[in-house]
Amino acid sequence: MHFAAIGRVPGDPILGLIDAYNQDRNPNKFDLGVGVYKDANGLTPILQSVKQAEQRLVDQQLTKSYIGGHGDSRFGELISELVLGADSPLLKAKRAGASQTPGGTGALRLAADFIAHCLPGRGIWLSDPTWPIHETIFASAGVKISHYPYVGSDNTLNVEAMLQTLEQAPIGDVVLLHACCHNPTGFDLSQDDWLKVLEVVRRRELLPLIDFAYQGFGDGLEEDAWSTRLFTAQLPEVLITSSCSKNFGLYRERVGALIVCAGDAEKLTDVRSQLANLARNLWSNPPDHGAAVVATILGDAQLKAQWADEVHAMRNRIAQLRSGLVEALAPFGLAEHFAHINLQRGMFSYTGLNAEQVQVLREKHSVYMVGSGRANIAGVDGTRLDALAKAIAQVCTR
Ligand code: LMR
C-alpha cells in the first residue's frame, strides 16, 4: 500500500481549538483560542463597510478572469498607502510595491520562498516566543531559523536580551519583527525600543521582515504603523507582510500583501519579477474577492471613513474587555497578578498561565485558550467576565 508508512501528525495548535470548542456541549464555554474578533453578541460580524463594498462589487464587477501574479494593482497601491502612509516618499519614488497574497500567511510564505531562493544562506531570526506558524513556514521553505529572546518565563518583555542576541546575528540575516500587537504575547516594543532595534539592524546589516497583521488593533491605524514607517524611512530595503483578515474582518477571504521596499525602482522591479515567479508556483494568481472589497473601501472616502470607525470600535471593545477582565479578577486578589493584561496590545494576552492551568481551564471550566497561555481577549464574552475570572482564580489557587 502506498500510504502504509504515513503516520498522523497532531492538529494545528491554534486552529485545532475551533473544533474542540465547537464540540463542547457546555453552554457556558469560553472561546479564547483562535485570533478572531467577536462582538457583544458573540458573533464575528461582517463589517458594514465590507457589506456595502460587496454590494457594489456584485452590481459592478464585470469579470472573474485571472487577476495576474501580483494581484489587483489598485489594491496594491491602496494597501501600500495604508501601511506606508498616503504621502510616503517611497511610493512617490516607486521604491515600494505590494504583491497581493492569500492572507498574511500567504505573504509570509511568499517571503520565506523569496529568502530561500533569492537570498540563499540567509537565516531568519524569530522572537521567542512567536506565532507558531512563523516557525513552520520558514522551516518548510528551508530557511534556517534562530531565535532572539522577547518575553521570558517571568512574562515580561526583555528588550536588552533581544538587542544583545541580535547583536550576534550573522551580517545579512533576516529578522522578523512584529509591527504591533505581538502574537502571541501582546507585549509591544516602545518607540524608544524600536529606535534601539533599528540601530542593531543597521549595524548588523540585517534585512527586516515586518509582520503587520493587526494594523488598527493596537493604538490606531496610523499609530500602529509608526515602527514600519520608521524602518522604511531609515533603511533602504525592508519586507512587510500585511494582513486584512482582522482589521477588515475578512478572515476567510484570505487577503494580504507582501510589500517590498527596495533601494530604487529598478531593483524593485527585479525583486517583483522574482516574487511573481515564486507566486506562480504557490498559488498562480491570488484570490480576488477580499482584495476587491478592500480596494473598494480604501478607494472611497466615505467607505474608508466608515471602515476606520468600525476598526476604532473593535479596538475600543478589546481595550474595555482587557480592563474589565482585570477588574473582574480584583475580588480574587488577582488584579495585580494580571495587571499586564492592561499593558498588552491587540487581540492577544500572554496571561502567564502555564500549560497545566490551561488544560484544567479547558477540562473543568470549558475555557479554551492556546497551550502557551495565550488568550484571545477579542473573543471574551463581556457579559460573563465574572465567571471567567472565577475560573481563572480557581486554577491559580489550586
Ligand atoms: C491566530 O494566531 O490565532 C491567528 O493569527 C489565526 C491563525 O491563523 O493562527
Side-chain angles (χ1 to χ4, degrees):
M1 300 293 273
H2 297 292
F3 300 155
I6 299 176
R8 204 170 292 181
V9 293
D12 182 85
I14 298 176
L15 296 183
L17 288 172
I18 299 176
D19 287 340
Y21 175 81
N22 286 342
Q23 278 162 23
D24 190 331
R25 298 280 175 84
N26 182 352
N28 298 317
K29 57 192 176 178
F30 285 94
D31 180 9
L32 315 186
V34 61
V36 166
Y37 173 86
K38 292 191 183 177
D39 65 13
N41 302 313
L43 293 174
T44 303
I46 302 176
L47 302 186
Q48 285 305 312
S49 50
V50 167
K51 273 279 182 206
Q52 289 188 34
E54 287 188 310
Q55 193 56 56
R56 279 191 208 173
L57 288 172
V58 168
D59 294 342
Q60 295 168 11
Q61 204 170 43
L62 295 175
T63 180
K64 294 283 185 192
S65 179
Y66 293 123
I67 192 149
H70 294 295
D72 174 7
S73 58
R74 186 75 184 126
F75 166 80
E77 284 162 23
L78 290 164
I79 198 73
S80 300
E81 285 178 13
L82 184 69
V83 168
L84 299 172
D87 49 9
S88 161
L90 275 108
L91 295 174
K92 291 208 173 69
K94 301 206 181 312
R95 281 183 45 214
S99 301
Q100 184 180 318
T101 57
T105 308
L108 284 160
R109 178 64 211 218
L110 184 58
D113 275 13
F114 172 70
I115 295 164
H117 286 86
C118 300
L119 302 173
R122 312 292 182 96
I124 189 159
W125 291 77
L126 305 177
S127 65
D128 178 17
T130 195
W131 184 49
I133 317 308
H134 283 149
E135 311 274 356
T136 50
I137 285 176
F138 290 96
S140 302
V143 179
K144 177 175 178 271
I145 296 172
S146 307
H147 296 95
Y148 58 85
Y150 192 75
V151 167
S153 52
D154 59 351
N155 206 23
T156 62
L157 187 58
N158 191 344
V159 184
E160 278 316 307
M162 171 184 181
L163 295 170
Q164 273 170 24
T165 302
L166 289 179
E167 202 72 70
Q168 313 297 322
I171 299 280
D173 264 8
V174 183
V175 56
L176 190 149
L177 300 162
H178 300 228
C180 65
C181 309
H182 183 268
N183 182 5
T185 68
F187 285 110
D188 282 347
L189 298 175
S190 68
Q191 294 192 350
D192 230 39
D193 297 334
W194 276 108
L195 289 166
K196 291 180 188 156
V197 174
L198 174 65
E199 280 322 303
V200 179
V201 165
R202 221 198 290 266
R203 243 192 324 273
R204 302 305 298 168
E205 296 170 32
L206 303 176
L207 173 64
L209 166 51
I210 302 182
D211 190 0
F212 201 2
Y214 299 92
Q215 186 172 4
F217 275 44
D219 292 314
L221 285 163
E222 292 293 302
E223 291 84 344
D224 291 349
W226 187 87
S227 54
T228 305
R229 293 179 190 172
L230 171 76
F231 271 55
T232 52
Q234 296 288 325
L235 299 167
E237 296 173 334
V238 178
L239 300 174
I240 305 156
T241 53
S242 160
S243 169
C244 304
S245 297
K246 328 283 164 157
N247 52 9
F248 286 85
L250 284 166
Y251 306 87
R252 66 170 66 162
E253 300 295 353
R254 312 309 297 142
V255 199
L258 173 58
I259 301 175
V260 177
C261 305
D264 58 44
E266 274 297 298
K267 193 44 67 188
L268 179 66
T269 308
D270 294 342
V271 172
R272 282 169 62 75
S273 73
Q274 298 285 347
L275 295 181
N277 200 31
L278 294 164
R280 178 69 165 139
N281 291 322
L282 287 168
W283 46 74
S284 181
N285 287 238
D288 168 67
H289 179 72
V293 168
V294 170
T296 304
I297 293 172
L298 295 180
D300 179 295
Q302 179 261 322
L303 276 184
K304 186 176 176 186
Q306 185 180 351
W307 165 72
D309 285 347
E310 292 183 283
V311 176
H312 183 81
M314 290 193 279
R315 179 174 64 253
N316 272 355
R317 178 175 155 74
I318 298 171
Q320 281 165 12
L321 288 169
R322 285 185 180 278
S323 55
L325 182 55
V326 176
E327 266 171 45
L329 286 159
F332 303 99
L334 289 170
E336 206 173 312
H337 186 74
F338 285 103
H340 52 269
I341 294 178
N342 270 326
L343 302 176
Q344 295 159 332
R345 285 286 175 278
M347 292 180 137
F348 303 119
S349 168
Y350 228 34
T351 55
L353 295 166
N354 62 35
E356 193 198 328
Q357 290 170 322
V358 170
Q359 195 181 343
V360 176
L361 270 173
R362 178 170 160 177
E363 285 167 4
K364 294 242 173 352
H365 304 279
S366 295
V367 176
Y368 288 78
M369 65 174 81
V370 181
S372 60
R374 186 195 84 168
N376 173 31
I377 301 294
V380 169
D381 176 350
T383 62
R384 293 191 294 133
L385 287 173
D386 292 340
L388 178 60
K390 190 172 170 197
I392 293 173
Q394 281 185 14
V395 301
C396 286
T397 49
R398 266 164 65 92

